[in-house]
Amino acid sequence: MVFYYVATMKTLRLILGDQLSHDISSLKDSNKAEDIILMCEVWNEATYVKHHKKKIAFLFSAMRHFAKELKENGYKVLYTKLEDEQNTGFFKSEMARTLKQQKVEHIVVTHPGEYRVLEDIKGWATNFKIPVEIRTDDRFLCSPEEFALWAKGRKQLRMEYFYREMRKKYNMLMKDNEPMGGDWNYDSKNRKPPNDDLVIPEPYCNEIDEITREAMSLVAGHFPDHFGDLEPFYFAVTRQQALQTLNLFIEERLPNFGDYQDAMIEGEPWMYHSHISFYLNCGLLLPLECVKAAEKAYQHGKAPLNAVEGFIRQIIGWREYVRGIYWLEMPEYAKKNFFNAKHNIPDFYWTADTKMNCLHQCVLETRKNAYAHHIQRLMVLGNFSLIAGIDPVQVNEWFLSVYADAYEWVELPNVSGMTLFADGGYLASKPYAAGGSYINKMSDYCKNCNYKVTKKNGEDACPFNYLYWDFLIRNRDKLESNHRIGMMYKMYDRMGDDKKQAISNDSKHFLTVSYTHLRAHETREDRGWRGGGGKKNGG
């Protein structure tokens, strides 16, 4: 039997799992004596895609730690754990259940990070007959409205020009309104291949406390069929720990980040990257404090300009840019499929059971860490998805499922726009397609591969080599006029008929014979975006 009680609370403030900041807009002007803070672990959010086990454990632990901090700071917190008997499984029904117990005059929530959640919340005022205030998420440095104003009237939305405006707005690496060093972008200096002399620092690793141990046990018990390993568990789960991660990056990795940010080494998943996207995207870190820390390191001579500029560009440029694209173009953006790609995602994206060592390594590391750095995602996993013609819906769901820093606002534009060119060039100026030589240049994967990267055709040739040309041939009518790719068609036309036939035969053989392990995977689109996989799905 459930007993309801009536309190005199006036405002109910909902904190979502990616809003774990004490400065979040939904907490501003809060009356600690009267207002209620609501946080929920709900089945639908854990299962609308089958998130990596480590991702779920990380977020549940971070949420529980954050709720504990709020209580210690004097807030009145109602927290629904996943295993609570009364948990209805959805935000909307948890809100309804709370409103039956509490006398509330007003609901406040910060703008959510995903379109589907926002659409749900927009209906709450009508559903609950109570005002619902959706506040701007001011953790970001460019609001959707500001981005839309910047985009208005532009035929192409190129990140570089947006980035320059953001540099000026926040006076980052600027002197007399000009970029420090004379150039806006030092990406051309950030492409050094790996060498045998690199010493990679150990990544941040936090001691597991009781709250995290409980979250890990919960995930092990309730999500056994989800992808990924729970251990080792290395995440920061509090703001203090996230700041330690940031400081560790600034001191130990940032000096070499620029030079080797595109490099890949077998057995070295972390390289010189920051590993702070987990914490930026859930609120434990704020973007401005991260870029200011990097700028300070440059000013004090602790890191070179190419490294600091590259890091700052990722945060105030690329991160803000893809969020702007997402809110400007949803919901239509999720349906884009410029190349009409239809192949199913191969089973080895889940099992790592492939003779292609680059893909084998990247999937293994993804399974272990819920992480892969941006070149592994773009130029190995994403590149293969592009040239093999894999359905964008399935690729998007895979990326959203397996990475602990993935939320749809950041994942979808990166995958559909940057990786798959599914938007036809709205985001990127050309498809990021490449043969095996690029992977060989930027990694040591090829030396331990069953295929020979120097061979262009034949049974033991690197599949990236012939699939690259097959991709261009299949999509000639859509790409030949692209000034950044047109020269490749001239190269193809100069090939002999035997070479062209070999490309066709090898590609067809790979995609119809070697490419046999296809995952019969029900996507979110197939499910009508309902939840699934949890023991409670009502609400």
Side-chain angles (χ1 to χ4, degrees), residues 328-344:
L328 187 66
E329 296 299 320
M330 282 297 282
E332 289 79 12
Y333 202 80
K335 304 171 186 175
K336 300 290 186 181
N337 190 353
F338 179 67
F339 295 124
N340 195 29
K342 295 180 179 179
H343 278 118
N344 289 324

Side-chain angles (χ1 to χ4, degrees), residues 230-242:
L230 263 175
E231 297 186 84
F233 190 92
Y234 49 81
F235 285 111
V237 291
T238 67
R239 171 158 172 79
Q240 182 180 13
Q241 293 168 3

Side-chain angles (χ1 to χ4, degrees), residues 484-510:
R484 298 187 67 185
I485 293 181
M487 60 179 291
M488 303 308 296
Y489 288 102
K490 294 178 181 179
M491 290 179 61
Y492 175 76
D493 289 341
R494 290 196 295 268
M495 292 180 186
D497 291 341
D498 289 347
K499 174 68 172 176
K500 292 178 180 179
Q501 191 61 51
I503 291 170
S504 177
N505 291 344
D506 288 341
S507 299
K508 184 179 295 185
H509 180 269
F510 182 86

Side-chain angles (χ1 to χ4, degrees), residues 142-199:
C142 180
S143 70
E145 294 77 17
E146 182 183 356
F147 186 86
L149 188 63
W150 173 82
K152 188 175 182 180
R154 295 176 184 264
K155 293 182 178 180
Q156 293 181 320
L157 306 185
R158 293 293 173 252
M159 191 280 293
E160 179 65 26
Y161 302 114
F162 171 77
Y163 165 59
R164 294 179 186 184
E165 294 301 315
M166 295 295 287
R167 283 268 297 273
K168 293 175 183 177
K169 176 181 177 180
Y170 288 96
N171 195 30
M172 279 287 146
L173 293 179
M174 300 292 293
K175 185 177 181 180
D176 299 327
N177 208 37
E178 293 294 328
M180 287 186 179
D183 293 319
W184 290 101
N185 186 316
Y186 291 90
D187 202 34
S188 61
K189 297 183 178 181
N190 293 344
R191 297 169 184 164
K192 287 187 179 180
N195 60 63
D196 295 335
D197 299 328
L198 294 183
V199 178

Side-chain angles (χ1 to χ4, degrees), residues 42-59:
V42 292
W43 288 96
N44 186 58
E45 292 305 301
T47 59
Y48 77 95
V49 299
K50 296 181 73 170
H51 297 289
H52 195 294
K53 294 187 185 79
K54 196 166 282 176
K55 179 180 182 179
I56 302 173
F58 158 59
L59 287 174

Side-chain angles (χ1 to χ4, degrees), residues 428-490:
S429 58
K430 73 175 184 68
Y432 277 80
S437 59
Y438 175 87
I439 297 171
N440 188 39
K441 176 185 175 182
M442 298 310 301
S443 78
D444 64 356
Y445 293 152
C446 298
K447 68 181 182 181
N448 292 322
C449 188
N450 283 272
Y451 297 102
K452 293 180 174 61
V453 69
T454 56
K455 289 200 64 175
K456 305 303 181 183
N457 293 102
E459 188 175 344
D460 59 348
C462 173
F464 278 92
N465 291 338
Y466 49 78
L467 288 176
Y468 168 76
W469 285 107
D470 188 64
F471 163 76
L472 291 180
I473 297 163
R474 294 195 315 266
N475 298 292
R476 184 164 189 161
D477 61 329
K478 296 180 178 180
L479 292 177
E480 189 170 20
S481 61
N482 186 304
H483 70 282
R484 298 187 67 185
I485 293 181
M487 60 179 291
M488 303 308 296
Y489 288 102
K490 294 178 181 179

